Amino acid sequence: MQDSQVINLQQITKSYDMGGVEQVNALRGVSVGISKNEYVAIMGPSGSGKSTLMNIIGCLDTPTSGLYEFNGINVSEMNDNELAKVRNKEIGFVFQTFNLLARSDALHNVELPLIYAGVHSTERKRLAMEALEHVGLGDRVHHKPNELSGGQRQRVAVARALVNKPSILLADEPTGNLDSKTGDEIMVLFGDLHKLGNTIILVTHEEYIAEHAHRIIRVRDGEVASDEAVTKRPALA
Amino acid sequence: MFFLQELKEGMLIAFQAIRANKMRSVLTTLGIIIGIVAVTVMATAIDGLDKAFEKSAKAFGTDILYVQKFPWVSNEDWSLIRNRPDIKPQYVDVIERQAKLSAAAAPVVARRTTVKNGTFLFEDAIVTGTTHSYNEASGNTNIDGRFFTAEESDRARLVCVIGATVGEKLFPTGDPVGQTILIAGAPYQVLGVYEKQGGLWGRFTSDNRVFIPFDAFQSRFGSRRWVTINVKVADIGEMENAKLELEGIMRKVRRIEPGKANNFNINAQEILTQTFGRFTMVVGAIGLVITGLSLIVGGIGIMNIMFVSVTERTKEIGIRKAIGARKRTILMQFLIEAAALCLIGGMIGLSISFILVQVVSNVFELEASMPAIVVFIAIVVSLVVGVISGFLPAFRAAKMDPVEALRYE
Ligand SMILES: Nc1ncnc2c1ncn2[C@@H]1O[C@H](COP(=O)(O)OP(=O)(O)OP(=O)(O)O)[C@@H](O)[C@H]1O
Ligand SMILES: [Mg+2]
């Protein structure tokens, strides 16, 4: 095990009791290690457990059994407040459905993680502006989500995910709700972020999206089916 | 620092949420509005009545006993006391001679009539006949000028002392002292004017009265059946004994056999104070019940709408949790929203009460104003109701599972 490992999953299982004897085993012993500045794609058929795995990595969910170390710290032993702090400071989440606050403008949406981190108002505004400019939305800061295109919304979500300078960026089908052109633009952004030193894990159904990554983990029925480096790289537009 | 950031964010969210559902929010606070109106109006009314009563009660004097045909406050059968003999002004001499614990006694009779000064009229004047002893044997004090003397009173001189309202009405510009007014057609010289007393419509105070010598009153208006004898007690610490002594004298005068009931009453201010105290207590208790009920109903309404709000915003809660909001943060957010809702209700209630108090005090000519403490209590009460009724919904929001909340559509 290298000491630059950000994520270390050992025999992670997740099962849901459906009442009575029935039980859904969403994850059946997943062991994965992910190092700093890796760019990993997770693929697999629908219902294979990708989102479940992402939620566990993102500290939104806790595994039924197994060991999860984040930056060398055992996450399984953390309480709710500590998990909230990890989500706030160490993890940036990007969702398929953007998940922005509808009543707040882009700037406030991006400020939110900083508010929960207790950052002072002026500093907060500055950092949020910076993040929005970084994703190319410096001129849209006071637009509400419904005044932005899908691609712009996802950029706001990326800015929000990055504003606290997290250790990893998690994206669960970030291009799933976008047309292929806008999706490609987001992927270019991810590529840039990776070059700047960010660690990225993304879930996708599309082979050509996954090929932006350097490593593809394939999941089937709650288990890792394959885990290999990408050799063929697509030419970026 | 941390807390302040979250508090500010919580208030912003509450503001946005309430603004997004203006109508629903206002309707929800109806119960709170009614509760706050009830508590503030009731408290203002009691406060106003208290003050007015205090002024009126002062006019009766704390050390004056009133010998009268009937009790001021009674639950006796009216038919039993209806046929009592009249109080006669002649008793005054007997009381003055025999009552060692009393300092002065004055007969008092009154009737309502119109008094005039040229074209200035006052139709509601209570012309009161009494003797010079009244100056001592009454709660009315502070005369600008003087009361009539024993000689003026004994000789039934046409002189008078007027109340403040009478003075204002008949002499809107000048000083009444030394002037002459017409009472039932006869001219009376004004010797003095009483200081304004206020109270309940000036009914029980000197404000609406014109005092003239007892004999002048009788020769003008005939002898009256309703005579009161005011008796001033020499030492206020001896009130009870003075009253017993007076009772004994009256029983002797009336030749009442031992064991038989009195056929007169000795009244005192104390009776009014006690009765009024009971009255305000009842008003207060009714107010408290109405307030309590509407606040409970209002609180349940708030709780209900907060549950709706929490469910509607499940996704938002999930998003906030995903980016680092702690349980405490979410809890506080919804508590603030509930408190803000109630505060809005409280403010609306306060405004309604304020208008209500203005209207009522104008219509009934009462000096009533909302005391600052009532405003403060209203605000605190609405905040407390908000926090209490918001707690369960807020707690439910706080303990939501982030993954499930995010999946909610
Ligand atoms: N809360 C839950 N209760 C019961 N079963 C669940 C729950 N969440 C997920 N599952 C089950 O776990 C399995 C994995 O679900 P998951 O959402 O991780 O799949 P996925 O790989 O992300 O699928 P997709 O590609 O469609 O998003 C599925 O069979 C799903 O039905
Ligand atoms: Mg999924």
Side-chain angles (χ1 to χ4, degrees):
Chain A
M1 204 207 287
Q2 308 144 269
D3 52 11
S4 67
Q5 208 161 45
V6 183
I7 285 157
N8 176 25
L9 300 170
Q10 299 288 332
Q11 289 302 314
I12 294 291
T13 71
K14 179 74 185 181
S15 42
Y16 296 98
D17 280 324
M18 302 308 288
V21 282
E22 223 182 308
Q23 204 184 36
V24 175
N25 294 310
L27 295 176
R28 311 160 182 260
V30 172
S31 300
V32 168
I34 292 169
S35 305
K36 202 162 155 28
N37 200 21
E38 269 199 273
Y39 190 171
V40 183
I42 297 176
M43 297 195 70
S46 187
S48 55
K50 305 182 296 293
S51 294
T52 308
L53 184 59
M54 285 293 262
N55 289 340
I56 288 172
I57 293 173
C59 294
L60 281 172
D61 211 348
T62 46
T64 309
S65 72
L67 172 80
Y68 175 20
E69 280 182 349
F70 186 92
N71 278 336
I73 301 158
N74 189 349
V75 172
S76 325
E77 285 169 2
M78 287 187 178
N79 65 24
D80 280 343
N81 275 348
E82 288 165 336
L83 286 174
K85 195 168 170 184
V86 171
R87 289 199 293 269
N88 181 246
K89 295 244 163 93
E90 303 294 341
I91 290 158
F93 231 118
V94 176
F95 302 90
Q96 178 176 356
T97 53
F98 320 133
N99 283 347
L100 298 175
L101 297 184
R103 284 200 275 263
S104 304
D105 62 15
L107 186 65
H108 191 80
N109 265 292
V110 177
E111 274 184 84
L112 214 54
L114 299 168
I115 291 174
Y116 293 141
V119 177
H120 215 286
S121 161
T122 39
E123 174 72 352
R124 207 167 69 207
K125 287 246 160 22
R126 192 181 65 75
L127 288 170
M129 280 299 295
E130 215 175 80
L132 278 167
E133 271 158 19
H134 193 107
V135 298
L137 284 178
D139 55 344
R140 293 284 190 279
V141 293
H142 292 303
H143 288 231
K144 300 255 172 76
N146 62 1
E147 296 159 353
L148 294 168
S149 74
Q152 288 170 331
R153 285 183 214 182
Q154 198 58 300
R155 282 167 191 273
V156 174
V158 171
R160 180 180 68 186
L162 289 173
V163 74
N164 254 347
K165 312 226 166 3
S167 302
I168 50 167
L169 184 62
L170 301 178
D172 193 347
E173 300 189 44
T175 59
N177 274 18
L178 302 174
D179 60 53
S180 58
K181 185 172 165 291
T182 330
D184 281 345
E185 281 168 21
I186 294 293
M187 291 321 294
V188 170
L189 178 61
F190 274 42
D192 292 344
L193 292 171
H194 175 246
K195 275 186 207 124
L196 288 171
N198 287 288
T199 311
I200 300 175
I201 306 174
L202 85 94
V203 168
T204 182
H205 275 121
E206 316 279 356
E207 203 69 42
Y208 77 94
I209 297 278
E211 279 164 2
H212 286 272
H214 295 183
R215 176 180 166 194
I216 299 181
I217 297 171
R218 290 177 203 277
V219 183
R220 190 159 296 127
D221 286 336
E223 284 175 304
V224 177
S226 71
D227 183 347
E228 51 202 16
V230 174
T231 43
K232 186 186 75 170
R233 318 294 316 286
L236 289 176
Chain B
M1 175 56 228
F2 219 82
F3 182 75
L4 275 183
Q5 299 276 351
E6 288 183 357
L7 192 74
K8 229 173 95 186
E9 171 72 6
M11 288 199 271
L12 183 76
I13 300 163
F15 176 71
Q16 284 177 342
I18 292 168
R19 202 178 49 176
N21 294 299
K22 285 189 210 79
M23 201 59 195
R24 184 175 91 183
S25 305
V26 170
L27 286 179
T28 301
T29 60
L30 210 60
I32 305 292
I33 294 175
I34 295 171
I36 293 299
V37 168
V39 71
T40 49
V41 166
M42 216 57 85
T44 307
I46 290 176
D47 178 74
L49 281 173
D50 252 340
K51 282 187 184 138
F53 176 78
E54 213 174 283
K55 285 180 189 161
S56 293
K58 223 171 97 193
F60 286 97
T62 46
D63 56 352
I64 311 290
L65 296 171
Y66 294 84
V67 183
Q68 286 173 315
K69 193 167 170 179
F70 301 119
W72 283 345
V73 179
S74 160
N75 38 26
E76 268 178 87
D77 191 347
W78 175 239
S79 64
L80 291 179
I81 59 177
R82 192 178 55 193
N83 293 322
R84 284 178 170 183
D86 294 335
I87 302 288
K88 297 203 170 60
Q90 289 77 6
Y91 299 165
V92 173
D93 298 332
V94 185
I95 291 167
E96 279 194 324
R97 251 182 289 119
Q98 300 185 3
K100 301 277 179 294
L101 299 175
S102 298
V108 179
V109 286
R111 65 161 287 168
R112 191 173 297 266
T113 188
T114 304
V115 293
K116 281 189 223 174
N117 166 35
T119 55
F120 296 110
L121 288 184
F122 185 59
E123 289 168 352
D124 237 4
I126 304 165
V127 176
T128 307
T130 187
T131 63
H132 69 284
S133 302
Y134 181 85
N135 194 27
E136 200 180 340
S138 78
N140 299 331
T141 47
N142 295 342
I143 302 175
D144 175 20
R146 63 172 180 87
F147 205 78
F148 36 82
T149 61
E151 199 207 310
E152 282 164 335
S153 138
D154 289 347
R155 300 201 174 171
R157 289 274 156 76
L158 298 187
V159 291
C160 67
V161 177
I162 61 179
T165 310
V166 180
E168 286 162 17
K169 289 278 153 67
L170 297 190
F171 302 92
T173 50
D175 179 10
V177 177
Q179 307 289 321
T180 302
I181 64 172
L182 284 181
I183 304 170
Y188 286 75
Q189 196 197 356
V190 180
L191 300 177
V193 184
Y194 274 110
E195 188 179 76
K196 181 114 189 153
Q197 288 185 300
L200 296 165
W201 305 283
R203 280 295 177 279
F204 308 106
T205 62
S206 64
D207 291 352
N208 288 359
R209 290 180 183 261
V210 175
F211 296 89
I212 61 175
F214 190 82
D215 294 337
F217 183 97
Q218 287 212 315
S219 59
R220 177 63 54 184
F221 300 109
S223 66
R224 295 271 119 186
R225 299 186 57 196
W226 291 84
V227 177
T228 298
I229 297 172
N230 285 17
V231 179
K232 154 103 174 163
V233 174
D235 176 3
I236 195 160
E238 294 281 312
M239 276 295 273
E240 271 316 300
N241 290 334
K243 193 175 171 185
L244 285 175
E245 186 192 53
L246 196 56
E247 192 182 343
I249 295 167
M250 282 300 295
R251 284 178 74 92
K252 218 159 62 195
V253 170
R254 283 276 169 90
R255 294 188 175 58
I256 302 171
E257 287 167 31
K260 287 261 169 76
N262 290 342
N263 56 7
F264 59 91
N265 270 92
I266 299 173
N267 294 311
Q269 184 215 46
E270 187 192 21
I271 299 168
L272 296 180
T273 322
Q274 282 168 359
T275 312
F276 185 76
R278 270 199 297 276
F279 169 70
T280 50
M281 232 165 73
V282 170
V283 173
I286 293 170
L288 224 59
V289 169
I290 296 175
T291 305
L293 281 178
S294 38
L295 286 181
I296 289 172
V297 172
I300 292 172
I302 296 286
M303 196 187 295
N304 186 42
I305 212 71
M306 286 310 295
F307 271 126
V308 172
S309 183
V310 166
T311 307
E312 276 177 356
R313 285 149 71 194
T314 302
K315 184 111 185 180
E316 178 194 320
I317 294 164
I319 297 171
R320 289 180 185 276
K321 287 201 156 191
I323 58 179
R326 286 174 296 173
K327 277 187 177 169
R328 191 191 77 184
T329 317
I330 302 290
L331 185 81
M332 198 163 74
Q333 173 188 331
F334 284 96
L335 281 185
I336 291 174
E337 188 174 323
L341 264 180
C342 286
L343 200 60
I344 289 173
M347 290 302 181
I348 296 175
L350 264 181
S351 316
I352 294 175
S353 297
F354 191 77
I355 294 166
L356 224 61
V357 166
Q358 295 297 315
V359 169
V360 167
S361 60
N362 275 343
V363 169
F364 292 99
E365 293 176 37
L366 280 168
E367 304 156 32
S369 62
M370 203 181 289
I373 182 80
V374 172
V375 176
F376 178 75
I377 289 172
I379 290 170
V380 170
V381 164
S382 27
L383 281 177
V384 168
V385 171
V387 169
I388 291 175
S389 49
F391 191 80
L392 277 182
F395 188 69
R396 183 183 179 176
K399 70 177 211 306
M400 274 184 186
D401 178 62
V403 176
E404 269 169 43
L406 277 170
R407 201 181 283 137
Y408 183 87
E409 288 306 327

